[in-house]
């Protein structure tokens, strides 16, 4: 039986692997369906990981993390996990997509989340070249410049307010004239001078040149086209939390979740189920940053060490 099973090998999972093995757990396996590193490996530049100075790609940042963990004994199995469940003895069963399963005393689920794309022309082609789904990551690249934000939910409005502090102007493009967001956020949006609301409009096409995005064409609901000359377009049209592994045979979740599918944890990354932890982008109130996911992973591993010790020795 495993002492600790880690599901997902992004910054949260790898850091948990480092802390768990270095902290004395002997039998720790990280189940990762692809190459370890997580979604940051898709990023062409990361400027806000402490200590990473200069032009560092996500791939470069993550390249040494797996080896560091393996030196302390972390095992990596390249396999997709289909479900984490509990058995009658109070241990966890990790079901894998090759049909096999493992038993573990404690589990960390850190399978991340995936921002949705809106589906307009040029969005995929220019993703990472001016189209972004992360204001904290990329907002600074547009300091003093104009940007567009797509969406009308809490995320779009909060990120538009964040960007308005960095950028000279923010166009908020929303397909209706009503927002899904909290009333006080809407009020702040409407009273922020450098945010222009472009309502009843959808993105028609984002276009650019070899350097990246140069503009966004929007189409109003009555067919009028307008060009916004922006080098940055931020898309916030919802988020898929990768929580499938927690869904049980009867369609319930193994632990308590928020209404929008994030795992509820306390500040020590404990879920509502003893021995089960969640970390990184999939947990409630996640800032969705590498440094935060790594911190969560460390916290969860330290908790798991105590949990396993208690189970084995007391
Ligand atoms: P992830 O990194 O998403 O890792 C989850 C892992 O779980 C993945 O490797 C996945 O393959 C694996 N997995 C999922 N389901 C299963 C399963 N069923 N079985 C097995 N494995 C599974 N953050 C910053 O701090 N600064 C930035 O500049 C920045 N820029 C970004 C740019 C881009 C293009 C993107 C996409 C993200 C960026 N981020 C940035 C955000 C950052 O990448 C995430 O906050 C961070 O990676 C979250 O880490 P995580 O470990 O929670 O999840
Ligand atoms: P969301 O509430 O689903 O909002 C998505 C927005 O994008 C909606 O305004 C939607 O328009 C628009 N949209 C969807 N698909 C589109 C498309 N293809 N083209 C153009 N626009 C499109 O997502 P979210 O803002 O990420 O929030 C997710 C959940 O997290 C919500 O429950 C939210 O309350 C919560 N959240 C809470 C906080 C907070 O409490 N501080 C912060 C962030 C998120 P329509 O409105 O017309 O459908």
């Amino acid at each position: 039986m495993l002492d600790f099973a880690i599901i997902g090998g992004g910054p949260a999972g790898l850091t948990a692997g480092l802390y768990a093995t270095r902290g004395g757990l002997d039998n720790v396996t990280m189940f990762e369906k692809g190459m370890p590193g997580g979604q940051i490996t898709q990023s062409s530049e990361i400027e806000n990981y402490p200590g990473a100075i200069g032009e560092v790609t996500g791939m470069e940042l993550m390249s040494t993390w797996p080896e560091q963990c393996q030196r302390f004994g972390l095992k990596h199995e390249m396999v997709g996990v289909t479900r984490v469940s509990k058995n009658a003895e109070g241990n966890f069963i990790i079901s894998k997509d090759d049909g096999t399963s493992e038993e573990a005393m404690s589990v960390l689920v850190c399978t991340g989340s995936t921002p949705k794309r809106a589906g307009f022309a040029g969005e995929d082609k220019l993703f990472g070249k001016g189209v972004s789904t992360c204001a904290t990551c990329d907002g600074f690249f547009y300091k003093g410049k104009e940007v567009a934000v797509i969406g009308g939910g809490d995320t779009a409005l909060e990120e538009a307010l964040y960007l308005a502090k960095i950028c000279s102007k923010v166009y908020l493009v929303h397909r209706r004239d009503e927002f899904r967001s909290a009333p006080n956020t809407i009020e702040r949006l409407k009273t922020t001078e450098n945010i222009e609301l472009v309502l009843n409009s959808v993105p028609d096409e984002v276009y650019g040149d070899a350097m990246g995005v140069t503009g966004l064409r929007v189409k109003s609901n009555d067919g009028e086209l307008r060009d916004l000359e922006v080098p940055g377009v931020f898309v916030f049209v919802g988020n898929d939390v990768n929580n499938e592994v927690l869904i049980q045979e009867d369609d319930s979740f193994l632990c308590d979740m928020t209404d929008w599918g994030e795992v509820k944890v306390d500040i020590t990354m404990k879920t509502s189920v003893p021995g089960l932890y969640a970390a990184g982008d999939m947990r409630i109130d996640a800032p969705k940053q590498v440094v935060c996911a790594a911190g969560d992973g460390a916290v969860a591993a330290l908790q798991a060490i105590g949990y396993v010790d208690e189970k084995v020795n007391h």
Side-chain angles (χ1 to χ4, degrees):
M1 175 158 49
L2 297 175
D3 289 335
F4 187 38
I6 300 167
I7 322 299
L14 286 163
T15 308
L18 175 65
Y19 275 71
T21 49
R22 210 170 161 270
L25 290 185
D26 289 328
N27 207 355
V28 184
T29 297
M30 183 181 78
F31 300 92
E32 163 57 58
K33 64 182 176 184
M35 292 302 289
Q39 54 175 294
I40 191 62
T41 57
Q42 298 164 32
S43 171
S44 55
E45 187 168 6
I46 172 159
E47 264 192 348
N48 61 0
Y49 192 79
I53 302 176
E55 287 183 17
V56 182
T57 66
M59 193 69 92
E60 284 163 354
L61 179 77
M62 298 311 295
S63 62
T64 52
W65 293 36
E67 189 194 329
Q68 186 187 17
C69 305
Q70 279 150 17
R71 284 187 185 187
F72 292 103
L74 178 71
K75 292 187 261 321
H76 166 214
E77 205 177 313
M78 198 190 274
V79 71
V81 169
T82 52
R83 180 174 293 151
V84 178
S85 50
K86 249 191 143 172
N87 65 13
E89 290 75 47
N91 293 317
F92 296 91
I93 303 297
I94 318 298
S95 305
K96 299 181 274 179
D97 63 11
D98 61 5
T100 63
S101 64
E102 303 267 353
E103 200 172 342
M105 254 185 275
S106 61
V107 175
L108 169 65
V109 180
C110 46
T111 42
S113 70
T114 314
K116 289 183 186 161
R117 304 255 174 117
F120 52 90
E123 185 187 20
D124 288 343
K125 189 175 151 210
L126 289 165
F127 193 85
K129 301 184 187 83
V131 177
S132 169
T133 50
C134 181
T136 322
C137 312
D138 299 329
F140 189 77
F141 298 128
Y142 306 101
K143 190 171 165 60
K145 297 179 184 165
E146 297 192 354
V147 296
V149 166
I150 318 296
D154 276 310
T155 308
L157 269 59
E158 287 180 7
E159 299 308 294
L161 287 163
Y162 173 87
L163 288 165
K165 293 195 181 75
I166 303 169
C167 304
S168 59
K169 181 166 182 173
V170 177
Y171 296 94
L172 183 84
V173 181
H174 179 38
R175 61 189 180 185
R176 298 188 292 137
D177 59 2
E178 281 180 0
F179 299 106
R180 288 177 185 275
S181 191
N184 68 323
T185 312
I186 299 172
E187 196 46 44
R188 280 172 59 212
L189 182 88
K190 287 183 174 166
T191 54
T192 302
E193 278 182 6
N194 63 338
I195 297 182
E196 180 181 331
L197 303 182
V198 183
L199 301 179
N200 297 311
S201 300
V202 290
D204 186 54
E205 181 177 6
V206 59
Y207 46 85
D209 56 24
M211 301 299 288
V213 168
T214 54
L216 174 72
R217 185 169 310 118
V218 295
K219 192 178 189 176
S220 73
N221 292 352
D222 48 24
E224 219 171 282
L225 293 171
R226 176 179 174 192
D227 283 278
L228 307 174
E229 286 180 21
V230 290
V233 175
F234 289 84
V235 181
F236 302 112
V237 295
N239 206 40
D240 289 322
V241 183
N242 302 328
N243 58 23
E244 296 84 359
V245 301
L246 292 167
I247 300 174
Q248 306 300 288
E249 249 176 82
D250 63 359
D251 278 348
S252 66
F253 282 102
L254 178 60
C255 57
D256 291 350
M257 311 289 284
T258 67
D259 288 343
W260 43 91
E262 300 150 333
V263 183
K264 286 187 182 174
V265 291
D266 66 10
I267 59 166
T268 64
M269 305 305 138
K270 281 185 197 141
T271 69
S272 57
V273 173
L276 178 70
Y277 307 88
D281 280 14
M282 70 166 336
R283 62 122 166 129
I284 186 169
D285 290 337
K288 300 194 173 70
Q289 293 290 287
V290 173
V291 67
C292 305
D296 284 3
V299 170
L302 295 173
Q303 288 298 317
I305 292 168
Y307 177 84
V308 170
D309 180 53
E310 182 77 19
K311 230 178 153 166
V312 172
N313 298 316
H314 300 283

